[in-house]
Amino acid sequence: MKITMIGTGYVGLVTGTCFAEFGHHVTCVDKDEEKIKTLLEGQIPIYEPGLDTLVLKNTREKRLTFTTALADAVAVADAVFMAVGTPSSRRGDGYADLTYIFEAAREIAPHLQGYTVIVDKSTVPVGTARQVARIIREVNPAADFDVASNPEFLREGAAIADFMHPDRVVIGLESLQAENILREIYKPLYLQETPIVKTDIETAELTKYAANAFLAIKISFINEIALLCDSLGADVVSLAKGIGMDGRIGKKFLHPGPGYGGSCFPKDTLAMMRIAQEHGQNLRIVEAAVEVNAAQKAKMVKKIRDMLDGSEAGKTIAFLGLTFKPETDDMRDAPAITIIPALLEKGARIKAHDPQGMEEARKYLPQGIEYAQDAYETCKDADAVVLMTEWNQYRALDLDRLMEEMQGRIFIDLRNVYEPQKMKEKGFIYAGVGRS
Ligand code: UDX
C-alpha cells in the first residue's frame, strides 16, 4: 500500500515508521522544513526508544521518505493519514483546536487522484471526519474518496511496542472500499490475531476520548485512595494489588503518583467534557477526575512542604525526573510544571535532573532552577530529594552515596519506587504516596 502521513509529530512519525516496517511505502509530509531536513539527515526530533533505528532501517530500505511536497505524496497515495496536532484551543475553553486538521483537508483535496481513503489519526471531536469530507468535497467536487477514523492508543516511551502489539485496532468507516484498504494496511497484525473493532465513524472518534477518560479516571481514583491510605495508615500498593487482580478491575493504571500529565489525558478529558456539554450533558465522573488531578499536584506540594517542617523557604530540594513519565523528553502538562514553581515561589532552592527532558524542561520551567549532570550531583547539599519521574536509572540509586551527598535525610518518593521500610532502615525520612 502507498501511504501518506500528514504531520511528523509524535503520532505521525511513529505511525508512519511502523507502517513502513509493515512493508508499506510511506511518505511523511510536514510543513516544517527544518524538521524534514533533520529527518532526511537521519536525526529524530523527539526521544522515543527504538524509533531512530526503525526510521534508519526503513529509509535505507526505501520504504520511508520525508518531504514538504504534499501534492506529489497525496496524488499517489491509497490512504492519506492525518496526524496533525489538535491542541486545546487558545480560548482556554477546553475545545480542541481543529485549525491544522481543516487546513490539511484543504491542502490535500486538490491533489487527490484515483480512489483514496482519508484517515483521521489525530484525536478529534466527534463529527470531525465528516467535516473533513465536506471540506474536501467543497474544494474538489470530483474527488473519489472516503473518510475514516482510526484513533491511536500509543503510550509515549512504549509507542513502537504498542503499535506492533496493540490490544486492538479501532476503525470507523462506512464504505467497504475504505475498509478493505485499512484491513490491508493492518494485515501484518492478523498474524498475531489483533482484533479489529469496526464501528461507524462517530463511534471510533468517541472511543478514543472514552478510552483516555477512563484511564484518567482510573488514575485519579487510585490517587484519591492513596491519600486516604496516607490518612488511615494503609498501604496503597498492596491495596492496588488486592483490587487489580480482580479481572474486572485490572491491575494497570493503578499506580498513584503526582497526577497524570502528558499530551493526551489533560487535553482529551477537557475536550470530551466540552463535547458533552455542547450536547446538553455533563460527564460528572470525568469532571471529577480532572479536579482530582489538579488537586493531586497541589497536595504533592503540601506533602513536600510538610516533610520540610511546614516551610520550603531557604531549603534545597533536589528533583529527580521532570518529564511527565519516563522514556520521553515530553514536558507537556508534566506535574513538575505545577509543583516546582510553587516551591520556587516560596523561596526554595531547586536542583533538578532528568535523563532526557532537561532541554525541554528549560522551556516550561521558570529561571532559577539549577540543572545537574546526574542524580548524585542533583542531591548534593539537598535537604530533601523528590523522586518525580520513575526513570529506570533512579530505581537502583546508590542510597549510601546519595545520603552522603545530601545535607538532610528527607526522601519524597512521588512514584512509590522504593520500599518505605527499607528506606527507613537506611536512615531516610521517607514518604511515598499512600504508603504510610
Ligand atoms: C496515553 C494513553 O495511554 C494512550 O493510549 C493515548 O494514546 C495517549 O495518552 P501517554 O500519555 O503517552 O499515553 O502515557 P501513559 O503511560 O498513559 O501515562 C499518562 C500519565 O498518567 C503519565 O503522567 C503517567 O505518569 C500517569 N500514570 C499512568 C499514573 O500516574 N499512574 C498510572 O498507573 C499510569
Side-chain angles (χ1 to χ4, degrees):
M1 286 277 141
K2 288 203 171 66
I3 298 172
T4 293
M5 184 66 60
I6 311 287
T8 57
Y10 186 81
V11 172
L13 193 54
V14 171
T15 308
T17 307
C18 289
F19 279 151
E21 181 67 13
F22 280 177
H24 303 302
H25 284 88
V26 181
T27 308
C28 292
V29 183
D30 206 296
K31 282 185 168 165
D32 186 335
E33 284 177 15
E34 259 321 291
K35 210 180 206 181
I36 292 298
K37 194 168 157 260
T38 310
L39 285 161
L40 286 171
E41 283 164 2
Q43 309 285 326
I44 311 297
I46 52 166
Y47 176 72
E48 178 63 34
L51 186 59
D52 47 358
T53 322
L54 222 51
V55 169
L56 203 67
K57 175 174 173 240
N58 284 282
T59 358
R60 275 201 190 131
E61 291 170 10
K62 306 218 179 307
R63 286 190 302 270
L64 181 63
T65 50
F66 301 99
T67 181
T68 51
L70 179 129
D72 297 347
V74 167
V76 297
D78 298 300
V80 175
F81 282 75
M82 296 209 285
V84 294
T86 53
S88 281
S89 100
R90 292 223 190 96
R91 295 188 304 270
D93 51 12
Y95 281 100
D97 179 350
L98 297 175
T99 314
Y100 301 119
I101 291 272
F102 295 152
E103 243 175 52
R106 257 181 221 105
E107 285 166 19
I108 292 165
H111 308 292
L112 291 168
Q113 276 182 28
Y115 178 80
T116 318
V117 196
I118 316 291
V119 191
D120 262 342
K121 201 55 163 157
S122 311
T123 302
V124 289
V126 180
T128 303
R130 276 190 211 284
Q131 278 180 277
V132 165
R134 187 180 47 72
I135 291 171
I136 294 175
R137 265 195 299 273
E138 247 171 51
V139 179
N140 181 358
D144 183 13
F145 73 101
D146 279 305
V147 288
S149 163
N150 173 217
E152 55 84 22
F153 302 100
L154 310 173
R155 287 165 305 158
E156 289 186 23
I160 291 169
D162 282 356
F163 196 96
M164 296 298 181
H165 304 277
D167 291 333
R168 79 310 200 183
V169 171
V170 175
I171 52 173
L173 32 73
E174 49 194 19
S175 101
L176 188 60
Q177 211 171 353
E179 184 180 340
N180 288 340
I181 288 181
L182 277 164
R183 284 192 188 274
E184 188 61 32
I185 287 173
Y186 282 105
K187 203 170 182 181
L189 295 179
Y190 291 175
L191 289 174
Q192 62 205 49
E193 296 179 359
T194 303
I196 299 230
V197 181
K198 188 191 129 196
T199 71
D200 57 71
I201 296 170
E202 283 73 16
T203 305
E205 289 172 333
L206 190 57
T207 301
K208 169 66 195 255
Y209 281 112
N212 274 355
F214 191 88
L215 294 170
I217 289 165
K218 209 171 169 188
I219 298 167
S220 280
F221 174 79
I222 201 68
N223 279 341
E224 272 203 322
I225 298 293
L227 296 178
L228 185 61
C229 286
D230 273 338
S231 308
L232 297 175
D235 179 49
V236 76
V237 172
S238 308
L239 179 147
K241 268 191 203 140
I243 60 171
M245 282 177 185
D246 183 329
R248 293 169 301 177
I249 296 173
K251 59 182 188 234
K252 292 183 184 164
F253 279 70
L254 282 182
H255 304 288
Y260 58 75
S263 65
C264 287
F265 291 168
K267 161 173 88 71
D268 294 348
T269 42
L270 290 185
M272 193 184 191
M273 278 156 51
R274 292 293 166 266
I275 294 167
Q277 280 163 7
E278 254 185 9
H279 290 82
Q281 293 206 34
N282 285 331
L283 295 177
R284 287 187 296 156
I285 298 180
V286 183
E287 286 169 14
V290 171
E291 270 173 40
V292 167
N293 197 56
Q296 186 72 2
K297 297 180 210 168
K299 282 176 180 162
M300 294 305 108
V301 174
K302 185 171 180 309
K303 188 185 265 293
I304 296 166
R305 184 171 298 143
D306 288 349
M307 291 291 283
L308 288 162
D309 290 333
S311 171
E312 62 270 45
K315 309 266 173 61
T316 302
I317 309 174
F319 277 84
L320 299 183
L322 296 167
T323 49
F324 81 101
K325 63 180 285 189
E327 301 301 333
T328 178
D329 59 354
D330 200 339
M331 282 294 296
R332 284 176 289 178
D333 270 306
I337 300 173
T338 312
I339 295 171
I340 291 180
L343 298 164
L344 206 58
E345 269 168 29
K346 290 274 166 66
R349 175 186 173 209
I350 304 288
K351 297 178 76 184
H353 174 256
D354 189 281
Q356 293 292 337
M358 291 204 284
E359 204 183 312
E360 277 299 297
R362 284 175 211 269
K363 300 179 197 159
Y364 286 82
L365 292 170
Q367 304 264 313
I369 293 160
E370 297 164 45
Y371 294 94
Q373 288 306 310
D374 63 29
Y376 303 100
E377 192 192 317
T378 318
C379 294
K380 192 166 170 41
D381 300 330
D383 294 286
V385 175
V386 177
L387 204 166
M388 187 73 189
T389 315
E390 68 279 33
W391 285 91
N392 278 337
Q393 61 179 259
Y394 304 145
R395 286 180 185 273
L397 291 167
D398 178 344
L399 295 170
D400 295 321
R401 186 175 159 201
L402 198 82
M403 197 181 273
E404 266 171 35
E405 297 287 354
M406 289 175 70
Q407 167 171 294
R409 288 184 297 130
I410 299 167
F411 194 110
I412 304 157
D413 183 358
L414 298 187
R415 299 290 182 169
N416 291 341
V417 166
Y418 288 92
E419 273 308 311
Q421 193 51 39
K422 287 196 184 129
M423 293 301 275
K424 280 171 199 160
E425 281 164 18
K426 278 268 171 210
F428 284 104
I429 303 167
Y430 175 88
V433 185
R435 303 219 69 190
S436 43

